[in-house]
């Protein structure tokens, strides 16, 4: 080594230079990512602005454009003329046939208009009644350029039925002489959204398809009693295949006839409004059934029309067709579809299904979504779809300021719940889909003593700040065949024999009931940002799973029902879980933690298996230790003063052991603890609590 080389001087300089280069590189990469994101958002917003400009220029604005259900399909004019209009750009000719003309395939041709549209005008009968009577069947006869004759249902059909012993749905003209008139105004948008996810067809203990009327009469009062202020209705848009859970839509403007008539659905929604409950439609604009005779697929005889041509227009896993969101007439169809459900049925908003599939050309297939921003911005993103979602949210929130929109997105796309003006998609909420997956993973893979408190808290709080999340421990996804409800994961076959309160609880039932309550409370209080969701029946620990009638189960309805009758047997412990869920919602309604800022977690103790946090001036304490109760346990609090118990999962009425005295008052001390200036001891009147039991979860209010 040369004599002039001074190691003591050079190595620090070399190290600083290296660190400087690394920092510069990090800053450069960060700036590049920021610029890329900024450019992507700016480009996206520019495309959205262009879309609005074109709507204004070509259609006079989106107000009339989104009312196209008044001009397409079948519409009765003031003088009882019927005007029919369809969009079938690849068709050679269109005819109307049905009961009204003795099913003559050629007597009533449509007139070809520009831009692929077809029009037919039917004057009234001699008695001035409409040419097509209410509740009679119709078909559009499509002649293709290949010489084929196809029988189709209008994409704008407002009612479709499946006749006995038939597979194909029939289009039925719905124009009742005395339509249902809504009486009650829409409720105001709740600050804390407590959603009861519902399926009308399974909302009965009877092994059959339940009705809108049954839901109105028997289920709405339960939802109100439970303290939910929002209903999310699944499987309302007509779908030929019942077992698709409503996600293979065939008629987008038709309320499913298997549950009853459109007027009965309107009555359901109006009754919900009278109970101050908002109603959301589970809307499916991400794809459509591949059915041709009773669906949108190949309506005009082509492989495209409303969809992209294959392979882009086909979903590889779902076996369904994918919309062409860049098409003007598809935009008309989908936006008018949203407006139709808002205006005709008075829904209060939508849960958009399959948003992840919409946003990416790969539809989320095979993508793990690590959170790297390169996954959300680039050529893999379907900008046409994003602009459609921005336009849909802009239209809905402009026309209906209290409209609620929820995105079902598993990818974590940034700005989904930011305003359109910021370059976001404009949704009000996104579903926190990682939370139920975490609970199922824990119950499947880990022993009680191996539960990781830190990991649970991380999963429940890992969300983009400023983007509202709907938290849930389980939805319909966790109950479908191949999986089972949380209660069944916890208690399994013992639910068949040991749920009676007339016999002592077995260790399995005891553990299951306590954990069921604590999992739901922790998810409710820590996981959501202004929203919480529960799938119908799971609030009382519904056993087993969901499975719709199909060939594989001999068309059985045994698992396609909700056994509300279990609540009506007083000695069964299902009622105890129901009561806890009810009082949890009522306590939230009083103290409003869902609408409060994110929680401050002061303890996630791995040895004690204890989680403590504050939210909305409410203190939550949960002990998940499988064998050890906690006595004289110090917890941190921000606000000094006296605390009392407001909700206790160990109360006897909730299936607990009643070990806490609710007259006990807890006083803080100016003793700093866990990053809070004050703390207090939580103690029990008994020196030792029983083992093998999950010690209660408490909610205390200053």
């Amino acid at each position: 080594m040369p004599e002039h080389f001074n190691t003591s001087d050079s190595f620090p300089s070399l190290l600083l230079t290296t660190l400087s280069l690394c920092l510069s590189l990090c800053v450069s990469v960060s700036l590049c990512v920021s610029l890329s994101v900024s450019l992507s958002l700016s480009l996206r917003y520019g495309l959205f602005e262009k879309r609005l400009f074109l709507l204004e220029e070509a259609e006079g604005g989106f107000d009339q454009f989104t009312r196209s259900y008044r001009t397409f399909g079948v519409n009765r004019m003031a003088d009882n003329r019927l005007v029919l209009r369809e969009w079938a750009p690849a068709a050679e000719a269109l005819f109307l046939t049905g009961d009204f003309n003795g099913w003559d395939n050629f007597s009533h041709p449509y007139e070809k208009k520009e831009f692929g549209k077809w029009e037919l005008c039917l004057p009234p009968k001699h008695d001035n009644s409409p040419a097509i009577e209410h509740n009679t069947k119709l078909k559009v006869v499509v002649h293709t350029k290949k010489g084929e004759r196809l029988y189709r249902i209008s994409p704008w059909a407002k009612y479709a039925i499946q006749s006995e012993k038939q597979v194909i749905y029939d289009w039925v003209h719905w124009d009742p002489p005395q339509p249902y008139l809504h009486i009650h105004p829409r409720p105001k948008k709740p600050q804390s959204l407590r959603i009861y996810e519902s399926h009308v067809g399974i909302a009965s203990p009877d092994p059959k398809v339940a009705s809108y009327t049954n839901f109105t009469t028997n289920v709405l009062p339960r939802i109100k009693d439970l303290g939910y202020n929002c209903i999310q209705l699944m499987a309302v848009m007509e779908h030929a295949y019942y077992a698709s859970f409503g996600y293979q839509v065939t008629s987008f403007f038709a309320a499913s006839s298997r549950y009853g008539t459109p007027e009965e659905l309107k009555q359901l929604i109006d009754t919900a409004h009278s109970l101050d409950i908002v109603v959301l439609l589970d809307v499916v604009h991400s794809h459509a059934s591949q059915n041709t005779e009773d669906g949108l697929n190949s309506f005009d005889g082509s492989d495209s029309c409303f969809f992209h041509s294959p392979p882009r227009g086909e979903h590889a896993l779902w076996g369904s067709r994918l919309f062409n969101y860049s098409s003007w007439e598809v935009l008309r169809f989908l936006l008018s579809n949203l407006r139709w459900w808002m205006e005709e049925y008075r829904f209060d908003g939508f849960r958009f299904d399959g948003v992840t599939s919409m946003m990416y050309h790969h539809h989320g297939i095979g993508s793990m979504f690590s959170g790297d921003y390169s996954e959300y911005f680039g050529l893999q993103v379907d900008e046409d779809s994003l602009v459609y979602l921005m336009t849909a949210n802009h239209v809905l929130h402009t026309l209906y300021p209290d409209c609620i929109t929820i995105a079902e997105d598993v990818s974590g796309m940034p700005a989904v719940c930011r305003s359109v003006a910021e370059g976001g998609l404009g949704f009000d909420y996104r579903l926190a889909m990682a939370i139920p997956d975490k609970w199922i993973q824990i119950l499947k893979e880990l022993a009680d003593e191996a539960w990781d408190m830190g990991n649970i808290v991380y999963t429940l709080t890992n969300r983009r700040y400023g983007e509202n999340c709907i938290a849930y421990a389980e939805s319909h996804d966790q109950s479908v065949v191949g999986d089972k409800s949380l209660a069944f994961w916890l208690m399994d076959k013992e639910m068949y024999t040991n749920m009676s309160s007339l016999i002592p609880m077995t260790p399995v039932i005891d553990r299951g009931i306590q954990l069921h309550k604590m999992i739901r409370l922790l998810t409710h209080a820590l996981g959501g940002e202004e929203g919480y969701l529960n799938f119908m029946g799971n609030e009382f620990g519904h056993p087993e799973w969901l499975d719709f009638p199909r060939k594989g189960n001999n068309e059985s309805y045994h698992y396609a029902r909700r056994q509300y009758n279990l609540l009506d047997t007083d000695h069964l412990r299902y009622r105890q879980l129901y009561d806890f869920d009810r009082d949890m919602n009522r306590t939230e309604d009083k103290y409003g933690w869902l609408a409060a800022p994110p929680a401050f977690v002061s303890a996630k103790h791995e040895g004690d298996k204890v989680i403590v946090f504050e939210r909305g001036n409410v203190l939550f304490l949960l002990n998940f230790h499988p064998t050890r109760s906690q006595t004289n346990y110090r917890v941190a609090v921000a606000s000094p003063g006296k605390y009392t118990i407001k909700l206790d999962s160990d109360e006897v009425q909730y299936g607990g052991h009643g070990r806490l005295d609710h007259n006990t008052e807890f006083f803080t001390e100016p003793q700093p603890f866990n990053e809070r200036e004050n703390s207090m001891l939580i103690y029990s009147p008994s020196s030792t609590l029983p083992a093998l039991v999950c010690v209660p979860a408490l909610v205390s209010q200053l």
Side-chain angles (χ1 to χ4, degrees):
M1 179 180 294
E3 292 182 4
H4 64 270
F5 190 85
N6 189 325
T7 55
S8 62
D9 292 336
S10 301
F11 274 102
S13 300
L14 180 62
L15 179 61
L16 287 171
T17 304
T18 304
L19 286 173
S20 178
L21 286 171
C22 290
L23 287 171
S24 298
L25 182 61
C26 290
V27 170
S28 298
V29 170
S30 178
L31 284 172
C32 286
V33 171
S34 298
L35 285 171
S36 176
V37 171
S38 179
L39 287 171
S40 295
L41 293 176
S42 297
L43 172 64
R44 191 176 299 165
Y45 186 75
L47 293 172
F48 161 74
E49 281 192 312
K50 182 180 179 181
R51 176 66 53 84
L52 286 188
F53 173 78
L54 291 175
L55 281 173
E56 188 68 39
E57 188 177 55
E59 303 283 347
F62 60 73
D63 186 24
Q64 289 304 311
F65 185 70
T66 57
R67 292 182 187 268
S68 292
Y69 51 81
R70 292 181 173 179
T71 53
F72 281 77
V74 183
N75 287 281
R76 177 166 53 88
M77 303 294 107
D79 60 0
N80 276 349
R81 285 181 303 121
L82 294 177
V83 177
L84 299 90
R85 184 177 288 115
E86 301 293 348
W87 178 63
E92 184 68 23
L94 255 64
F95 297 85
L96 184 70
T97 188
D99 290 332
F100 80 102
N101 68 357
W103 294 97
D104 188 319
N105 289 335
F106 300 99
S107 61
H108 289 81
Y110 285 74
E111 181 182 352
K112 189 173 185 178
K113 301 291 185 179
E114 59 182 352
F115 307 121
K117 296 169 187 172
W118 301 80
E119 191 173 295
L120 170 63
C121 185
L122 298 178
K125 296 178 183 178
H126 295 300
D127 61 359
N128 203 41
S129 63
I132 302 173
E133 295 180 6
H134 164 64
N135 210 21
T136 58
K137 294 180 181 179
L138 297 168
K139 287 280 188 183
V140 175
V141 184
V142 179
H143 289 245
T144 72
K145 291 180 171 61
K146 296 180 180 179
E148 301 169 300
R149 185 191 302 170
L150 308 174
Y151 295 89
R152 297 289 188 254
I153 289 179
S154 169
W156 302 80
K158 298 174 179 67
Y159 195 51
I161 64 170
Q162 187 179 37
S163 300
E164 191 175 355
K165 296 182 180 179
Q166 284 192 352
V167 176
I168 304 299
Y169 271 66
D170 290 317
W171 172 22
V172 173
H173 177 55
W174 192 259
D175 186 17
Q178 294 181 322
Y180 183 86
L181 298 177
H182 293 268
I183 302 171
H184 304 283
R186 285 191 173 102
K188 291 183 178 179
K189 181 180 178 180
Q191 279 192 313
S192 298
L193 204 61
R194 300 183 297 274
I195 304 172
Y196 198 79
E197 185 184 34
S198 305
H199 186 294
V200 170
I202 66 172
S204 163
D206 300 324
K208 64 178 184 180
V209 178
S211 66
Y212 295 124
T213 301
N214 166 74
F215 196 95
T216 302
T217 304
N218 298 317
V219 183
L220 283 182
R222 294 188 190 272
I223 297 172
K224 179 64 176 178
D225 180 60
L226 280 163
Y228 291 95
N229 55 20
C230 176
I231 298 168
Q232 178 185 305
L233 280 184
M234 309 170 58
V236 168
M237 302 168 77
E238 191 60 88
H239 49 292
Y241 185 42
Y242 188 43
S244 74
F245 230 130
Y247 293 122
Q248 296 271 346
V249 175
T250 45
S251 291
F252 282 72
F253 287 81
S256 183
S257 61
R258 56 170 54 88
Y259 319 128
T261 68
E263 310 314 299
E264 289 165 344
L265 173 59
K266 293 174 187 177
Q267 185 179 28
L268 185 163
I269 295 169
D270 197 29
T271 305
H273 286 169
S274 75
L275 299 173
D276 208 29
I277 297 172
V278 297
V279 186
L280 308 182
L281 175 68
D282 199 346
V283 71
V284 186
H285 282 184
S286 49
H287 64 133
S289 168
Q290 63 179 348
N291 289 17
T292 53
E293 289 191 53
D294 54 7
L296 289 183
N297 190 19
S298 190
F299 173 69
D300 63 356
S302 71
D303 63 359
S304 54
C305 196
F306 289 92
F307 312 106
H308 289 290
S309 295
R312 183 179 178 184
E314 295 177 331
H315 197 290
L317 293 184
W318 296 346
S320 53
R321 298 304 311 272
L322 300 175
F323 287 106
N324 178 2
Y325 301 105
S326 65
S327 165
W328 193 260
E329 293 305 320
V330 171
L331 186 68
R332 181 195 305 277
F333 180 79
L334 295 177
L335 291 178
S336 295
N337 187 234
L338 298 174
R339 190 81 184 270
W340 164 257
W341 293 109
M342 293 292 289
E343 290 286 336
E344 185 70 13
Y345 290 91
R346 296 184 64 81
F347 277 97
D348 301 287
F350 303 94
R351 178 260 201 191
F352 280 72
D353 178 69
V355 169
T356 303
S357 174
M358 296 174 71
M359 294 192 299
Y360 306 96
H361 292 297
H362 53 62
H363 309 298
I365 299 173
S367 299
M368 298 303 292
F369 293 111
S370 65
D372 190 285
Y373 271 59
S374 63
E375 298 169 332
Y376 306 122
F377 301 96
L379 296 178
Q380 74 275 20
V381 176
D382 188 337
E383 297 293 347
D384 291 333
S385 170
L386 294 181
V387 171
Y388 164 68
L389 292 171
M390 293 169 76
T391 307
N393 276 303
H394 174 75
V395 167
L396 288 170
H397 289 110
T398 301
L399 295 172
Y400 314 98
D402 280 347
C403 178
I404 298 166
T405 60
I406 302 172
E408 188 218 21
D409 170 40
V410 72
S411 74
M413 165 74 79
V416 163
C417 297
R418 300 301 298 180
S419 70
V420 173
E422 296 175 302
L425 299 190
F427 285 97
D428 297 295
Y429 306 89
R430 70 194 314 155
L431 293 176
M433 301 181 71
I435 295 175
D437 291 343
K438 173 56 64 175
W439 287 124
I440 293 296
Q441 178 202 4
I442 289 172
L443 295 179
K444 282 183 178 180
E445 300 176 4
L446 299 178
D448 291 359
E449 59 271 15
W451 286 27
D452 186 331
M453 299 295 103
N455 185 253
I456 291 172
V457 169
Y458 173 79
T459 302
L460 288 167
T461 57
N462 181 29
R463 52 185 180 265
R464 296 188 186 281
Y465 181 77
E467 296 199 45
N468 293 335
C469 286
I470 305 292
Y472 56 105
E474 53 184 335
S475 69
H476 72 275
D477 285 329
Q478 283 69 47
S479 297
V480 294
V481 65
D483 211 325
K484 49 191 177 184
S485 66
L486 280 181
F488 215 58
W489 273 112
L490 288 164
M491 294 174 277
D492 206 69
K493 61 183 180 181
E494 289 207 19
M495 297 189 77
Y496 295 123
T497 56
N498 297 325
M499 286 295 282
S500 173
S501 60
L502 301 179
I503 60 174
M505 281 194 290
T506 65
V508 169
I509 295 297
D510 195 357
R511 168 187 178 270
I513 284 178
Q514 313 317 324
L515 281 177
H516 190 272
K517 292 178 290 186
M518 294 175 69
I519 287 171
R520 296 170 71 82
L521 175 59
L522 181 59
T523 303
H524 199 299
L526 190 59
E529 196 110 0
E530 296 196 16
Y532 173 78
L533 177 144
N534 163 68
F535 179 62
M536 62 188 314
N538 288 350
E539 70 277 1
F540 63 82
H542 200 286
E544 301 174 326
W545 53 86
L546 274 172
D547 189 12
F548 285 83
R550 53 189 175 85
K551 288 183 179 180
N553 64 12
N554 295 318
E555 304 296 334
S556 171
Y557 284 86
H558 180 74
Y559 296 108
R561 60 196 180 112
R562 296 277 93 178
Q563 299 180 56
Y564 287 109
N565 57 303
L566 296 173
L567 294 172
D568 301 325
T569 306
D570 292 338
H571 67 82
L572 293 181
R573 297 190 183 278
Y574 297 101
R575 186 73 204 189
Q576 298 169 342
L577 295 176
Y578 175 99
D579 288 347
F580 180 78
D581 197 81
R582 177 199 62 206
D583 291 349
M584 176 176 67
N585 282 324
R586 290 181 179 180
T587 306
E588 195 287 326
D589 186 59
K590 183 176 181 180
Y591 298 113
W593 61 70
L594 279 171
F600 178 86
V601 181
S602 59
K604 39 189 175 180
H605 199 289
E606 299 300 341
D608 295 339
K609 301 299 179 190
V610 168
I611 296 173
V612 181
F613 61 94
E614 297 162 276
R615 189 173 185 190
N617 205 31
V618 178
L619 175 67
F620 298 82
L621 304 91
L622 299 100
N623 177 14
F624 285 95
H625 202 288
T627 60
R628 188 170 72 227
S629 299
Q630 310 295 344
T631 59
N632 296 325
Y633 202 82
R634 184 166 295 280
V635 298
V637 290
S639 302
K642 178 181 70 176
Y643 285 72
T644 57
I645 297 171
K646 296 299 179 183
L647 182 66
D648 171 13
S649 71
D650 197 45
E651 281 197 71
V652 173
Q653 65 169 319
Y654 305 142
H657 300 277
R659 294 166 294 195
L660 295 178
D661 181 0
H662 284 214
N663 293 318
T664 304
E665 297 176 339
F666 303 94
F667 293 90
T668 63
E669 304 171 80
Q671 179 176 333
F673 187 68
N674 285 352
E675 300 182 41
R676 288 303 209 202
E677 293 183 2
N678 303 287
S679 63
M680 62 184 176
L681 288 176
I682 302 296
Y683 54 89
S684 167
S686 59
S687 58
T688 305
L689 299 181
L692 300 173
V693 175
C694 294
V695 181
L698 308 178
V699 180
S700 303
Q701 173 68 21
L702 181 63

